[in-house]
Amino acid sequence: MSHATAALPEQSLKGIDGTTLGLYAATVFLWGVSWIGIRAQLGIVAPEMSVLWRFLLAAVLMWGWVLATGHRVRFALAEHLRFMGVGCCLFSFNFVSFYYGGLTIPSGLLSVVFSLASVFNLVLGFAIFRQRPEPRVALGGVIGVAGIVFLFWPEIAGAGFNAAALKGLALCVMGTLFFCSGNMVSTVVQRRGVPLLSATAWGMTYGCGVLLAVNLLRGNAFIIEPTVKYVGSLVYLAVGASVLAFMAYLTLLRRLGAARAGYATVLFPIVALTVSTVIEGYAWTPLAVIGVVLALVGNVLVLRRPAAAK
């Protein structure tokens, strides 16, 4: 991407093509299923250590991809500072926050809080890039988040909101803010014409460096739980939910902008709930049905082509 063609995604959007819809669906599915994998990681291994193993494996795979395809690997110091920002926000602190949050609040509430990324992206996009969201997009985000609240209201109401639950909720909100901040930095990096594969590989590398420092400072044991559950979830989180999903999502950032791309997070809980229905026998309620309908209606509002673009 040249500097001449690197306009803000919202300014260059001409519609949603099949490739974009495919990337959107892949992101929603891969990250939607990842909540189950995150829960499977909690237990013996310290959360920040599990996140380190996840992105260490993902970084190795990503660098292999970069070198095999001959992408650029050398960049100026200013770009490396941005890569470090992406690593801190997207590939370390946000996941550590959610892993710790998952120790004290239900998995459904984890995904509900993360779905607020669509709203945070709108706010940060306006604050940093002065991107004024279209009323239709803003309305779609509000309706979608309202749908998620309906969908998980029994779980939210049953969380108790004691000190532990409030701490977990605060950690998840902080993790979501880290994620959205990483979106903003990544948008700047892509607008400067940095290849997506290279930027992601460097971002994961810096994220691993940060995680290594955190683990050393906390004195965590460098261990892996030798179970099929832990190792299997680790492989999925590294390959599916990290390499493939982040590549799909960061590509969406370039194609759709942070507001529309971030709205994919609204649908993650629906995927998690569907998997839970099949595997765990989740019982649907009228509130859950209303929530799904609202989330899908909001999604249509956000993705529908503006009349002027048709």
Side-chain angles (χ1 to χ4, degrees):
M1 181 189 300
S2 66
H3 293 291
T5 60
L8 288 176
E10 286 81 1
Q11 295 173 329
S12 59
L13 182 64
K14 296 182 179 180
I16 308 300
D17 58 22
T19 300
T20 301
L21 286 175
L23 290 168
Y24 189 84
T27 303
V28 170
F29 175 78
L30 291 171
W31 273 346
V33 176
S34 72
W35 297 106
I36 298 175
I38 289 175
R39 294 289 296 181
Q41 295 277 284
L42 302 177
I44 297 175
V45 183
E48 54 266 52
M49 184 61 68
S50 289
V51 180
L52 172 59
W53 295 138
R54 170 180 177 172
F55 283 107
L56 186 60
L57 177 56
V60 170
L61 295 173
M62 187 61 68
W63 276 115
W65 194 350
V66 168
L67 296 176
T69 53
H71 278 71
R72 180 182 170 194
V73 297
R74 293 186 178 183
F75 299 92
L77 176 61
E79 298 298 350
H80 278 279
L81 292 177
R82 297 184 182 93
F83 296 153
M84 185 178 297
V86 171
C88 289
C89 293
L90 285 184
F91 303 123
S92 56
F93 291 142
N94 64 321
F95 282 101
V96 171
S97 299
F98 270 100
Y99 276 52
Y100 270 104
L103 293 173
T104 57
I105 64 175
S107 60
L109 187 52
L110 288 176
S111 55
V112 169
V113 177
F114 191 59
S115 72
L116 295 178
S118 59
V119 177
F120 292 164
N121 275 340
L122 287 172
V123 175
L124 290 176
F126 175 74
I128 298 174
F129 299 118
R130 292 294 184 263
Q131 296 173 349
R132 190 177 300 275
E134 303 169 22
R136 172 179 51 80
V137 174
L139 176 62
V142 172
I143 291 176
V145 172
I148 297 305
V149 172
F150 271 100
L151 185 62
F152 285 99
W153 180 251
E155 190 167 23
I156 294 173
F161 288 101
N162 51 29
L166 285 174
K167 179 181 178 181
L169 179 60
L171 285 168
C172 291
V173 170
M174 184 170 65
T176 305
L177 285 172
F178 274 124
F179 173 78
C180 294
S181 299
N183 287 341
M184 301 301 110
V185 180
S186 180
T187 297
V188 172
V189 170
Q190 293 192 46
R191 287 178 62 192
R192 292 177 59 83
V194 177
L196 180 59
L197 279 173
S198 303
T200 304
W202 275 115
M204 287 184 175
T205 301
Y206 281 116
C208 287
V210 171
L211 290 166
L212 176 61
V214 170
N215 279 288
L216 289 174
L217 288 173
R218 293 181 60 85
N220 293 327
F222 284 74
I223 60 173
I224 292 179
E225 185 178 337
T227 63
V228 173
K229 176 183 177 182
Y230 184 89
V231 175
S233 61
L234 177 62
V235 171
Y236 173 76
L237 290 172
V239 179
S242 296
V243 175
L244 299 181
F246 265 106
M247 287 303 297
Y249 180 75
L250 294 176
T251 302
L252 284 178
L253 277 181
R254 184 178 68 244
R255 286 170 169 255
L256 299 179
R260 288 180 172 86
Y263 192 80
T265 62
V266 174
L267 294 183
F268 294 167
I270 296 177
V271 175
L273 186 60
T274 301
V275 174
S276 179
T277 300
V278 175
I279 297 177
E280 302 172 343
Y282 174 83
W284 286 81
T285 65
L287 281 179
V289 174
I290 293 173
V292 170
V293 172
L294 287 176
L296 293 177
V297 168
N299 198 38
V300 171
L301 285 175
V302 171
L303 290 178
R304 183 169 57 85
R305 289 178 64 180
K310 292 181 180 179

